[in-house]
């Protein structure tokens, strides 16, 4: 661990300082601002709306300002399981129907939990917006959390966590995180700790976390 930390610090000091580069032109930034509007829904959810002329595609992201950092120790992995389970079924949309709609209309849809925030996204053609929007809304507001579906998601997450130490990139990342995120740090959630947590969760935990996450004052739509 000490050798790894020393090597990382040495690499940091060795890297040359890059000259300032204009990644985005002033003209592009000006155009983006002109195409972007900001407003707020009646329930307080803030919306960022950007219309690209002549585009046939619509992308929606519903962001939730809630992630690993907001969960107490011992429950850090609950978010990952909950967000991954949401798109497996919802009120009026059993899993088979969701898969059918996604395949028929080539919808890109899913939810994921992160460290600082989580999100549910939808990507589709404008012509299919009227089909995709109700599905996304149901997945966000009324996920079914069916017993078999959440078990499958839990098994997949467990397998992923067990495989983490055998992945060189993830293993090194966890070693580094272990240095910067000691016990008690809000960002800390190693694969070993996550495995122990996931094994103790049940459906009631998912329902509780879902209710905590649906907070209009901590949501944003883009």
């Amino acid at each position: 661990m000490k050798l790894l930390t020393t090597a990382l610090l040495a690499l940091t000091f060795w890297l040359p300082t890059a000259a300032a580069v204009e990644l985005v032109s002033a003209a592009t930034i000006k155009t983006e601002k002109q195409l972007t509007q900001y407003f707020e829904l009646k329930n307080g959810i803030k919306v960022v709306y950007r219309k690209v002329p002549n585009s046939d595609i619509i992308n929606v992201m519903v962001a939730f300002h809630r992630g690993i950092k907001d969960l107490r120790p011992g429950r850090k992995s609950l978010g990952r399981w909950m967000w991954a389970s949401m798109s497996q079924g919802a009120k009026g949309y059993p899993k088979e129907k969701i898969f059918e709609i996604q395949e028929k209309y080539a919808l890109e849809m899913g939810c994921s939990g992160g460290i600082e925030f989580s999100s549910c996204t939808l990507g589709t053609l404008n012509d299919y917006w009227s089909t995709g929007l109700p599905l996304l809304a149901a997945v966000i507001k009324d996920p079914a959390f069916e017993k078999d579906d959440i078990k499958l998601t839990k098994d997949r997450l467990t397998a992923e966590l067990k495989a983490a130490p055998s992945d060189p990139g993830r293993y090194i990342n966890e070693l580094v995180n272990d240095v910067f995120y000691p016990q008690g740090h809000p960002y800390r959630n190693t694969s070993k700790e996550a495995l122990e947590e996931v094994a103790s969760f049940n459906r009631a935990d998912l329902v509780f976390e879902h209710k905590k996450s649906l907070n209009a004052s901590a949501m944003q739509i883009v």
Side-chain angles (χ1 to χ4, degrees), residues 77-90 95 98-99 110-113 139 143-162 194-195 197-199 201-203 206:
S77 300
L78 179 57
R80 290 180 62 184
W81 183 31
M82 191 270 290
W83 293 106
S85 298
M86 287 170 61
S87 58
Q88 295 298 307
K95 181 172 63 176
I98 290 180
F99 289 168
C111 300
S112 61
V139 164
F145 294 138
E146 294 289 349
K147 181 179 178 180
D148 291 342
D149 294 335
I150 62 176
K151 182 182 182 304
L152 178 60
T153 307
K154 188 175 187 178
D155 290 343
R156 287 173 175 169
L157 177 56
T158 299
E160 179 185 335
L161 293 170
K162 286 181 177 179
L195 267 174
E197 293 176 0
V198 168
F201 298 146
N202 56 41
R203 185 181 185 279
L206 293 185

Side-chain angles (χ1 to χ4, degrees), residues 5-202:
T5 306
T6 303
L8 287 170
L9 290 174
L11 178 63
T12 301
F13 287 115
W14 175 83
L15 289 174
T17 303
V21 178
E22 185 181 53
L23 299 177
V24 183
S25 69
T28 298
I29 294 175
K30 181 180 179 181
T31 301
E32 290 290 316
K33 287 183 177 180
Q34 292 173 341
L35 297 174
T36 304
Q37 301 177 42
Y38 302 89
F39 54 92
E40 189 172 301
L41 301 181
K42 292 181 179 180
N43 60 1
I45 297 179
K46 293 180 172 57
V47 179
V48 180
Y49 174 68
R50 178 176 295 124
K51 184 174 182 179
V52 179
N54 303 315
S55 174
D56 294 323
I57 299 172
I58 185 165
N59 286 288
V60 182
M61 179 181 73
V62 182
F64 304 81
H65 294 277
R66 183 173 176 82
I68 287 176
K69 68 176 180 60
D70 301 296
L71 299 173
R72 70 175 187 268
R75 296 179 69 84
K76 296 288 184 181
S77 300
L78 179 57
R80 290 180 62 184
W81 183 31
M82 191 270 290
W83 293 106
S85 298
M86 287 170 61
S87 58
Q88 295 298 307
K91 185 177 181 180
Y93 293 92
K95 181 172 63 176
E96 293 76 13
K97 186 174 182 179
I98 290 180
F99 289 168
E100 179 184 340
I101 293 174
Q102 286 182 300
E103 183 177 2
K104 182 177 181 179
Y105 298 102
L107 297 181
E108 294 181 355
M109 187 193 70
C111 300
S112 61
I115 295 176
E116 295 188 336
F117 73 94
S118 304
S119 65
C120 290
T121 59
L122 171 71
T124 186
L125 296 175
N126 290 336
D127 292 344
Y128 305 146
W129 172 240
S130 60
T131 299
L133 180 60
L135 172 57
L136 179 65
V139 164
I140 292 175
K141 295 173 60 179
D142 298 298
F145 294 138
E146 294 289 349
K147 181 179 178 180
D148 291 342
D149 294 335
I150 62 176
K151 182 182 182 304
L152 178 60
T153 307
K154 188 175 187 178
D155 290 343
R156 287 173 175 169
L157 177 56
T158 299
E160 179 185 335
L161 293 170
K162 286 181 177 179
S166 62
D167 183 319
R170 294 183 63 181
Y171 181 70
I172 292 298
N173 185 60
E174 287 209 353
L175 286 178
V176 174
N177 287 346
D178 196 44
V179 174
F180 291 101
Y181 306 145
Q183 290 287 348
H185 193 286
Y187 286 6
R188 183 182 176 90
N189 188 228
T190 67
S191 58
K192 180 180 179 181
E193 293 165 349
L195 267 174
E196 295 173 354
E197 293 176 0
V198 168
S200 67
F201 298 146
N202 56 41

